Amino acid sequence: MGIAEVSAKISTAAREDGRPLSDIHLIAVSKTYAADAIRSALNAGHRAFGENRVQEAAGKWPELRADYNDIDLHLIGPLQSNKARQAVELFNAIHTIDRPKIAEAIAAEMKSQSKALALFIQVNTGEEPQKAGIAPAETTGFVEKCRNELQLPIQGLMCIPPVDEEPGVHFALLGELARDAGLKQLSMGMSSDYDIAIQFGATHVRVGSAIFGARTKP
Ligand SMILES: *Cc1c(COP(=O)(O)O)cnc(C)c1O
């Protein structure tokens, strides 16, 4: 496909669902892709990217940031608290806050670096044992804790639906949980289902292979 085709498909989905295009942000997921592929998206004017590993992002993005202005880099993979300092240095947004320890580490780093990031809480909508995320029933309480005890400006919720289930059910659940918690942003939808996610109110779609091609590395 490529970024122009994905953007066009997002425009169509937004129009069909009566949503302003400005409400929907395309995060080009560049994990495993080399800087050359990323540069072609940057040269086409795209600025929002996602990486799932702090270490990989540290190897690619400082150089790209030196060459292009206004890069908006999102961490969409699991975060260990010993990488919180580096994550807050490198990224503009973190989508994967999934436990108190990580929320505390990010709060401390944002304070010591005087840096504000856009923050999302990952919800394990399918309650899969192998998957990260807060359980749906605990989401509102966790959002409250982040807000009130840690003064973390949480903007929204994020999910990765189980591979073998209708994603719409999970997108609808994430939307309900966000409403309950008074949150407006929804990070959901990947290459295979971002148009469906937009129907269910996604504000941030995370699209990798439909833009950059099939990944050869995991
Ligand atoms: C890799 C990844 C994506 C993008 O996946 P594609 O299927 O390549 O679009 C989105 N979200 C997360 C959390 C990912 O790890």
Side-chain angles (χ1 to χ4, degrees), residues 32-74:
T32 77
Y33 299 102
D36 280 356
I38 299 172
R39 278 179 194 274
S40 71
L42 283 161
N43 290 336
H46 196 76
R47 289 295 181 271
F49 293 86
E51 291 282 343
N52 70 335
R53 294 203 172 110
V54 175
Q55 224 44 53
E56 184 183 345
K60 290 195 293 200
W61 284 95
E63 202 174 320
L64 292 167
R65 278 200 195 269
D67 291 347
Y68 298 85
N69 292 326
D70 304 325
I71 284 172
D72 183 27
L73 193 60
H74 297 244

CSV table of all heavy atoms in Angstrom, one decimal, residues 32-74:
chain,number,residue,atom,x,y,z
A,32,THR,N,11.1,-2.4,13.3
A,32,THR,CA,11.9,-3.3,12.4
A,32,THR,C,12.3,-2.7,11.1
A,32,THR,O,13.1,-3.3,10.4
A,32,THR,CB,11.1,-4.7,12.1
A,32,THR,OG1,10.1,-4.5,11.2
A,32,THR,CG2,10.6,-5.3,13.4
A,33,TYR,N,11.7,-1.6,10.7
A,33,TYR,CA,12.1,-1.1,9.4
A,33,TYR,C,13.3,-0.1,9.5
A,33,TYR,O,13.4,0.6,10.5
A,33,TYR,CB,10.9,-0.3,8.8
A,33,TYR,CG,9.7,-1.2,8.5
A,33,TYR,CD1,8.6,-1.1,9.4
A,33,TYR,CD2,9.7,-2.1,7.4
A,33,TYR,CE1,7.5,-2.0,9.2
A,33,TYR,CE2,8.6,-2.9,7.2
A,33,TYR,CZ,7.5,-2.8,8.1
A,33,TYR,OH,6.5,-3.7,7.9
A,34,ALA,N,14.1,-0.1,8.5
A,34,ALA,CA,15.3,0.7,8.6
A,34,ALA,C,15.0,2.1,8.3
A,34,ALA,O,14.0,2.5,7.8
A,34,ALA,CB,16.3,0.2,7.5
A,35,ALA,N,16.0,3.0,8.7
A,35,ALA,CA,15.8,4.4,8.6
A,35,ALA,C,15.5,4.9,7.2
A,35,ALA,O,14.7,5.8,7.0
A,35,ALA,CB,17.1,5.1,9.1
A,36,ASP,N,16.0,4.2,6.2
A,36,ASP,CA,15.7,4.5,4.8
A,36,ASP,C,14.2,4.5,4.5
A,36,ASP,O,13.7,5.5,3.8
A,36,ASP,CB,16.4,3.6,3.8
A,36,ASP,CG,17.8,3.9,3.6
A,36,ASP,OD1,18.3,4.9,4.2
A,36,ASP,OD2,18.5,3.1,2.9
A,37,ALA,N,13.5,3.5,4.9
A,37,ALA,CA,12.1,3.4,4.7
A,37,ALA,C,11.4,4.5,5.4
A,37,ALA,O,10.4,5.1,4.9
A,37,ALA,CB,11.6,2.0,5.1
A,38,ILE,N,11.8,4.8,6.6
A,38,ILE,CA,11.2,5.8,7.4
A,38,ILE,C,11.4,7.2,6.8
A,38,ILE,O,10.5,8.0,6.7
A,38,ILE,CB,11.8,5.8,8.9
A,38,ILE,CG1,11.5,4.5,9.5
A,38,ILE,CG2,11.2,6.9,9.7
A,38,ILE,CD1,12.2,4.2,10.9
A,39,ARG,N,12.6,7.4,6.2
A,39,ARG,CA,12.9,8.7,5.6
A,39,ARG,C,12.0,8.9,4.4
A,39,ARG,O,11.6,10.1,4.1
A,39,ARG,CB,14.4,8.7,5.1
A,39,ARG,CG,15.3,9.1,6.1
A,39,ARG,CD,16.8,9.1,5.6
A,39,ARG,NE,17.7,9.2,6.8
A,39,ARG,CZ,18.1,10.3,7.4
A,39,ARG,NH1,17.7,11.4,7.0
A,39,ARG,NH2,18.9,10.2,8.4
A,40,SER,N,11.6,7.9,3.7
A,40,SER,CA,10.7,8.2,2.6
A,40,SER,C,9.3,8.6,3.1
A,40,SER,O,8.7,9.5,2.5
A,40,SER,CB,10.6,7.0,1.6
A,40,SER,OG,9.9,5.9,2.1
A,41,ALA,N,8.8,8.1,4.2
A,41,ALA,CA,7.6,8.6,4.8
A,41,ALA,C,7.8,10.1,5.3
A,41,ALA,O,6.9,10.9,5.1
A,41,ALA,CB,7.1,7.7,5.9
A,42,LEU,N,8.9,10.3,5.9
A,42,LEU,CA,9.2,11.7,6.4
A,42,LEU,C,9.3,12.7,5.2
A,42,LEU,O,8.8,13.8,5.3
A,42,LEU,CB,10.6,11.7,7.1
A,42,LEU,CG,10.5,11.1,8.6
A,42,LEU,CD1,11.9,10.8,9.1
A,42,LEU,CD2,9.9,12.1,9.5
A,43,ASN,N,9.9,12.2,4.1
A,43,ASN,CA,10.0,13.1,2.9
A,43,ASN,C,8.7,13.4,2.3
A,43,ASN,O,8.4,14.4,1.7
A,43,ASN,CB,11.0,12.5,1.9
A,43,ASN,CG,12.4,12.6,2.4
A,43,ASN,OD1,12.8,13.4,3.3
A,43,ASN,ND2,13.3,11.7,1.9
A,44,ALA,N,7.7,12.4,2.5
A,44,ALA,CA,6.4,12.6,2.0
A,44,ALA,C,5.6,13.5,3.0
A,44,ALA,O,4.4,13.8,2.7
A,44,ALA,CB,5.7,11.3,1.9
A,45,GLY,N,6.2,14.0,4.1
A,45,GLY,CA,5.5,14.9,5.0
A,45,GLY,C,4.9,14.3,6.2
A,45,GLY,O,4.4,15.0,7.1
A,46,HIS,N,5.1,13.0,6.4
A,46,HIS,CA,4.5,12.4,7.6
A,46,HIS,C,5.4,12.6,8.8
A,46,HIS,O,6.6,12.6,8.7
A,46,HIS,CB,4.2,10.9,7.3
A,46,HIS,CG,3.3,10.3,8.3
A,46,HIS,ND1,2.0,10.5,8.3
A,46,HIS,CD2,3.6,9.5,9.5
A,46,HIS,CE1,1.4,9.9,9.3
A,46,HIS,NE2,2.3,9.3,10.1
A,47,ARG,N,4.8,12.8,10.0
A,47,ARG,CA,5.6,13.0,11.2
A,47,ARG,C,5.3,12.2,12.4
A,47,ARG,O,6.1,12.1,13.3
A,47,ARG,CB,5.4,14.5,11.6
A,47,ARG,CG,6.0,15.5,10.6
A,47,ARG,CD,7.6,15.4,10.6
A,47,ARG,NE,8.2,16.3,9.8
A,47,ARG,CZ,8.5,16.0,8.5
A,47,ARG,NH1,8.2,14.9,7.9
A,47,ARG,NH2,9.2,16.9,7.8
A,48,ALA,N,4.2,11.4,12.4
A,48,ALA,CA,3.8,10.6,13.6
A,48,ALA,C,4.2,9.2,13.3
A,48,ALA,O,3.8,8.5,12.4
A,48,ALA,CB,2.3,10.7,13.9
A,49,PHE,N,5.1,8.6,14.2
A,49,PHE,CA,5.6,7.3,14.1
A,49,PHE,C,5.5,6.5,15.4
A,49,PHE,O,5.4,7.1,16.4
A,49,PHE,CB,7.1,7.3,13.6
A,49,PHE,CG,7.2,7.9,12.2
A,49,PHE,CD1,7.3,9.2,12.0
A,49,PHE,CD2,7.2,7.0,11.1
A,49,PHE,CE1,7.4,9.8,10.7
A,49,PHE,CE2,7.3,7.5,9.8
A,49,PHE,CZ,7.4,8.9,9.6
A,50,GLY,N,5.4,5.2,15.2
A,50,GLY,CA,5.4,4.3,16.4
A,50,GLY,C,6.5,3.3,16.4
A,50,GLY,O,6.8,2.8,15.4
A,51,GLU,N,7.0,3.1,17.6
A,51,GLU,CA,8.1,2.0,17.8
A,51,GLU,C,7.6,1.2,19.0
A,51,GLU,O,7.0,1.7,19.9
A,51,GLU,CB,9.4,2.7,18.1
A,51,GLU,CG,10.0,3.4,16.9
A,51,GLU,CD,10.7,2.4,15.8
A,51,GLU,OE1,10.9,1.3,16.2
A,51,GLU,OE2,10.9,2.9,14.7
A,52,ASN,N,8.0,-0.1,19.0
A,52,ASN,CA,7.6,-0.9,20.2
A,52,ASN,C,8.7,-1.2,21.1
A,52,ASN,O,8.5,-1.8,22.2
A,52,ASN,CB,6.8,-2.1,19.8
A,52,ASN,CG,7.7,-3.2,19.1
A,52,ASN,OD1,8.7,-2.8,18.5
A,52,ASN,ND2,7.3,-4.4,19.1
A,53,ARG,N,10.0,-0.8,20.7
A,53,ARG,CA,11.1,-1.1,21.6
A,53,ARG,C,11.9,0.2,21.9
A,53,ARG,O,12.3,0.8,20.9
A,53,ARG,CB,12.0,-2.2,21.1
A,53,ARG,CG,11.3,-3.5,21.0
A,53,ARG,CD,12.3,-4.7,20.9
A,53,ARG,NE,11.7,-5.9,21.1
A,53,ARG,CZ,11.6,-6.8,20.1
A,53,ARG,NH1,12.1,-6.6,18.9
A,53,ARG,NH2,10.9,-8.0,20.3
A,54,VAL,N,12.2,0.5,23.1
A,54,VAL,CA,12.9,1.6,23.5
A,54,VAL,C,14.3,1.6,22.9
A,54,VAL,O,14.8,2.5,22.3
A,54,VAL,CB,13.0,1.8,25.0
A,54,VAL,CG1,13.9,2.9,25.4
A,54,VAL,CG2,11.6,1.9,25.6
A,55,GLN,N,15.0,0.4,23.0
A,55,GLN,CA,16.3,0.2,22.5
A,55,GLN,C,16.4,0.5,21.0
A,55,GLN,O,17.3,1.2,20.5
A,55,GLN,CB,16.8,-1.2,22.8
A,55,GLN,CG,18.2,-1.3,23.3
A,55,GLN,CD,18.5,-0.2,24.3
A,55,GLN,OE1,17.8,-0.1,25.3
A,55,GLN,NE2,19.5,0.6,24.1
A,56,GLU,N,15.5,-0.1,20.2
A,56,GLU,CA,15.5,0.1,18.8
A,56,GLU,C,15.2,1.6,18.4
A,56,GLU,O,15.9,2.1,17.5
A,56,GLU,CB,14.4,-0.8,18.1
A,56,GLU,CG,14.4,-0.7,16.6
A,56,GLU,CD,13.3,-1.5,16.0
A,56,GLU,OE1,12.7,-2.4,16.7
A,56,GLU,OE2,13.0,-1.3,14.8
A,57,ALA,N,14.3,2.2,19.1
A,57,ALA,CA,14.0,3.6,18.9
A,57,ALA,C,15.3,4.5,19.1
A,57,ALA,O,15.6,5.4,18.4
A,57,ALA,CB,12.9,4.1,19.7
A,58,ALA,N,16.0,4.1,20.2
A,58,ALA,CA,17.2,4.9,20.5
A,58,ALA,C,18.3,4.8,19.4
A,58,ALA,O,19.1,5.7,19.2
A,58,ALA,CB,17.8,4.4,21.9
A,59,GLY,N,18.3,3.7,18.7
A,59,GLY,CA,19.2,3.5,17.7
A,59,GLY,C,18.9,4.2,16.4
A,59,GLY,O,19.7,4.4,15.5
A,60,LYS,N,17.6,4.5,16.1
A,60,LYS,CA,17.2,5.1,14.9
A,60,LYS,C,16.8,6.5,14.9
A,60,LYS,O,17.0,7.3,14.0
A,60,LYS,CB,15.9,4.3,14.4
A,60,LYS,CG,16.2,2.9,13.9
A,60,LYS,CD,15.0,2.3,13.1
A,60,LYS,CE,13.8,2.1,13.9
A,60,LYS,NZ,12.8,1.1,13.2
A,61,TRP,N,16.1,6.9,16.0
A,61,TRP,CA,15.4,8.2,16.0
A,61,TRP,C,16.2,9.5,16.3
A,61,TRP,O,15.9,10.6,15.7
A,61,TRP,CB,14.1,8.1,16.8
A,61,TRP,CG,13.1,7.4,16.0
A,61,TRP,CD1,12.8,6.0,16.1
A,61,TRP,CD2,12.3,7.9,14.9
A,61,TRP,NE1,11.9,5.7,15.1
A,61,TRP,CE2,11.6,6.8,14.4
A,61,TRP,CE3,12.2,9.1,14.3
A,61,TRP,CZ2,10.7,6.9,13.4
A,61,TRP,CZ3,11.3,9.3,13.3
A,61,TRP,CH2,10.5,8.2,12.8
A,62,PRO,N,17.3,9.4,17.1
A,62,PRO,CA,18.0,10.7,17.4
A,62,PRO,C,18.5,11.3,16.1
A,62,PRO,O,18.4,12.5,15.8
A,62,PRO,CB,19.1,10.3,18.3
A,62,PRO,CG,18.5,9.1,19.1
A,62,PRO,CD,17.7,8.4,18.1
A,63,GLU,N,19.0,10.4,15.2
A,63,GLU,CA,19.5,10.9,13.9
A,63,GLU,C,18.4,11.5,13.0
A,63,GLU,O,18.6,12.5,12.4
A,63,GLU,CB,20.2,9.7,13.2
A,63,GLU,CG,21.2,10.1,12.2
A,63,GLU,CD,21.9,8.9,11.6
A,63,GLU,OE1,22.3,8.0,12.5
A,63,GLU,OE2,22.2,8.8,10.4
A,64,LEU,N,17.3,10.8,13.0
A,64,LEU,CA,16.2,11.3,12.2
A,64,LEU,C,15.6,12.6,12.7
A,64,LEU,O,15.3,13.5,12.0
A,64,LEU,CB,15.0,10.2,12.1
A,64,LEU,CG,15.4,8.9,11.4
A,64,LEU,CD1,14.4,7.8,11.6
A,64,LEU,CD2,15.5,9.2,9.9
A,65,ARG,N,15.6,12.7,14.1
A,65,ARG,CA,15.1,13.9,14.7
A,65,ARG,C,16.0,15.1,14.3
A,65,ARG,O,15.6,16.2,14.2
A,65,ARG,CB,15.0,13.8,16.2
A,65,ARG,CG,13.8,13.1,16.7
A,65,ARG,CD,13.6,13.5,18.2
A,65,ARG,NE,12.6,12.6,18.9
A,65,ARG,CZ,11.3,12.9,19.0
A,65,ARG,NH1,10.8,14.0,18.4
A,65,ARG,NH2,10.5,12.1,19.7
A,66,ALA,N,17.3,14.8,14.2
A,66,ALA,CA,18.3,15.9,13.8
A,66,ALA,C,18.0,16.4,12.4
A,66,ALA,O,18.3,17.5,12.1
A,66,ALA,CB,19.7,15.4,14.0
A,67,ASP,N,17.4,15.5,11.6
A,67,ASP,CA,17.2,15.9,10.1
A,67,ASP,C,15.8,16.4,9.8
A,67,ASP,O,15.6,17.0,8.8
A,67,ASP,CB,17.5,14.7,9.2
A,67,ASP,CG,19.0,14.3,9.2
A,67,ASP,OD1,19.8,15.1,9.7
A,67,ASP,OD2,19.3,13.2,8.8
A,68,TYR,N,14.9,16.1,10.7
A,68,TYR,CA,13.5,16.5,10.4
A,68,TYR,C,12.9,17.2,11.6
A,68,TYR,O,13.0,16.7,12.8
A,68,TYR,CB,12.6,15.3,10.0
A,68,TYR,CG,13.1,14.6,8.8
A,68,TYR,CD1,14.1,13.7,8.8
A,68,TYR,CD2,12.5,14.9,7.5
A,68,TYR,CE1,14.5,13.0,7.7
A,68,TYR,CE2,13.0,14.3,6.4
A,68,TYR,CZ,14.0,13.3,6.5
A,68,TYR,OH,14.4,12.7,5.3
A,69,ASN,N,12.1,18.3,11.4
A,69,ASN,CA,11.4,18.9,12.5
A,69,ASN,C,10.1,18.3,12.9
A,69,ASN,O,9.5,17.6,12.0
A,69,ASN,CB,11.1,20.4,12.2
A,69,ASN,CG,12.4,21.2,12.0
A,69,ASN,OD1,13.3,21.0,12.8
A,69,ASN,ND2,12.4,22.1,11.1
A,70,ASP,N,9.6,18.5,14.1
A,70,ASP,CA,8.3,18.2,14.5
A,70,ASP,C,8.0,16.7,14.5
A,70,ASP,O,6.8,16.3,14.3
A,70,ASP,CB,7.2,18.9,13.6
A,70,ASP,CG,7.4,20.4,13.6
A,70,ASP,OD1,7.8,20.9,14.7
A,70,ASP,OD2,7.2,21.0,12.6
A,71,ILE,N,8.9,15.8,14.7
A,71,ILE,CA,8.6,14.4,14.7
A,71,ILE,C,7.9,14.1,16.0
A,71,ILE,O,8.1,14.6,17.1
A,71,ILE,CB,10.0,13.6,14.7
A,71,ILE,CG1,10.5,13.6,13.2
A,71,ILE,CG2,9.8,12.1,15.2
A,71,ILE,CD1,11.8,13.0,13.0
A,72,ASP,N,6.8,13.3,15.9
A,72,ASP,CA,5.9,12.9,17.0
A,72,ASP,C,6.0,11.4,17.1
A,72,ASP,O,5.5,10.6,16.4
A,72,ASP,CB,4.5,13.3,16.5
A,72,ASP,CG,3.5,13.1,17.6
A,72,ASP,OD1,3.9,13.1,18.8
A,72,ASP,OD2,2.3,12.9,17.2
A,73,LEU,N,6.9,11.0,18.1
A,73,LEU,CA,7.2,9.6,18.3
A,73,LEU,C,6.4,8.9,19.4
A,73,LEU,O,6.5,9.4,20.5
A,73,LEU,CB,8.7,9.4,18.5
A,73,LEU,CG,9.3,8.0,18.3
A,73,LEU,CD1,9.1,7.5,16.9
A,73,LEU,CD2,10.8,8.0,18.6
A,74,HIS,N,5.8,7.8,19.1
A,74,HIS,CA,4.9,7.1,20.1
A,74,HIS,C,5.5,5.7,20.4
A,74,HIS,O,5.8,4.9,19.6
A,74,HIS,CB,3.5,6.9,19.4
A,74,HIS,CG,2.8,8.1,19.1
A,74,HIS,ND1,1.6,8.5,19.7
A,74,HIS,CD2,3.1,9.1,18.2
A,74,HIS,CE1,1.2,9.7,19.2
A,74,HIS,NE2,2.1,10.1,18.3
